[in-house]
Amino acid sequence: RFLIMDVDYTEGDRIIERGGQLHNVTMLYTDIRGFTAMSERKEPRDIVNMLNEYFEVMVDILFQSEGTLDKFVGDEIIGLFGAPIEIPNAEVKAVKCALEMQKALLEFNRTRAAENHEPIKVGMGINTGSVITGFTGSSKSMQFTAIGDPMNVAARLCSAAKSGQIIVSESTMRYVGESIVAEELAPIEVKGKSERLKIYNVTGIKKDDWIDEPTQM
């Protein structure tokens, strides 16, 4: 329970302040392809059950990868790496998380096929940048989130990703380029940006033995 004043407190020792702080964060967006059409074909109860099962698998992997769940937006999952707690090589962990999600989705879809359900197809986008992180909301409900242009870019990358793709920005590639397998794709336009953004499709990890070491610039 929150005690609302200029500063909000939990019952423990952690202090929750309104507002936020500037952090360098890597954002992972995942989105189900064709979800609207799927919702039109299925009963609402079936869609809710499907989403809950899917979220259970994906969020477990997010947490195992040291990510933070920002929020669910419909069928979309937004994960953060490097906030509220900084972690070494957050960028690599975000990419590895996405690859693990893809692997888990294959098994998830095998189970769905055995039950005569259509497969779930997902696109993902990853970006790195400085955002404001902190708690926002009203006196009755607050939520940890990240706000800033890099979040908008990550969302755009996710929208550009085809089913099965993990689209990574150039800013993330600066940190993870030597540790992943990726192909450069045609640059994309992003609203509010004067130049097209370079993007890459990640297909694998070369090595992860240095993943817990400080990030190498």
Side-chain angles (χ1 to χ4, degrees), residues 78-178:
I78 303 175
L80 306 177
F81 291 78
I85 299 173
E86 293 184 7
I87 57 175
N89 282 306
E91 305 81 12
V92 179
K93 290 176 180 176
V95 173
K96 189 175 181 182
C97 175
L99 289 166
E100 291 294 331
M101 285 178 168
Q102 277 190 341
K103 187 187 303 182
L105 189 60
L106 290 174
E107 185 59 34
F108 186 75
N109 281 331
R110 288 192 189 100
T111 301
R112 286 182 59 79
E115 298 172 350
N116 296 317
H117 296 309
E118 61 185 297
I120 293 176
K121 300 177 181 180
V122 175
M124 304 183 189
I126 299 176
N127 186 39
T128 301
S130 294
V131 296
I132 297 295
T133 64
F135 289 86
T136 61
S138 72
S139 60
K140 295 180 174 61
S141 178
M142 298 188 72
Q143 176 181 341
F144 181 84
T145 191
I147 298 173
D149 181 63
M151 295 288 287
N152 300 330
V153 172
R156 179 66 183 87
L157 298 181
C158 183
S159 297
K162 298 177 181 178
S163 172
Q165 284 188 327
I166 302 170
I167 301 300
V168 175
S169 68
E170 185 176 24
S171 62
T172 301
M173 282 294 292
R174 293 193 190 105
Y175 293 93
V176 304
E178 295 183 358

Side-chain angles (χ1 to χ4, degrees), residues 183-207:
E183 59 176 335
E184 185 171 356
L185 302 179
I188 62 171
E189 291 184 358
V190 174
K191 184 178 180 180
K193 300 292 183 183
S194 58
E195 297 182 358
R196 290 173 176 261
L197 297 184
K198 289 185 177 180
I199 61 172
Y200 304 81
N201 177 37
V202 174
T203 57
I205 288 258
K206 292 179 182 177
K207 60 176 183 176

Side-chain angles (χ1 to χ4, degrees), residues 28-41:
L28 167 61
Y29 279 64
T30 78
D31 186 65
I32 297 177
R33 296 293 172 256
F35 180 74
T36 300
M38 185 185 295
S39 299
E40 293 173 350
R41 295 192 300 270

Side-chain angles (χ1 to χ4, degrees), residues 17-67:
E17 298 180 355
R18 291 180 178 177
Q21 296 180 330
L22 191 65
H23 281 101
N24 195 56
V25 176
T26 297
M27 317 103 202
L28 167 61
Y29 279 64
T30 78
D31 186 65
I32 297 177
R33 296 293 172 256
F35 180 74
T36 300
M38 185 185 295
S39 299
E40 293 173 350
R41 295 192 300 270
K42 302 290 185 181
E43 293 294 326
R45 184 188 300 274
D46 294 332
I47 291 296
V48 170
N49 289 338
M50 181 270 291
L51 279 178
N52 285 337
E53 292 172 359
Y54 164 74
F55 287 153
E56 188 75 26
V57 173
M58 295 297 108
V59 173
D60 276 352
I61 295 171
L62 177 67
F63 290 162
Q64 290 168 14
S65 303
E66 299 183 59

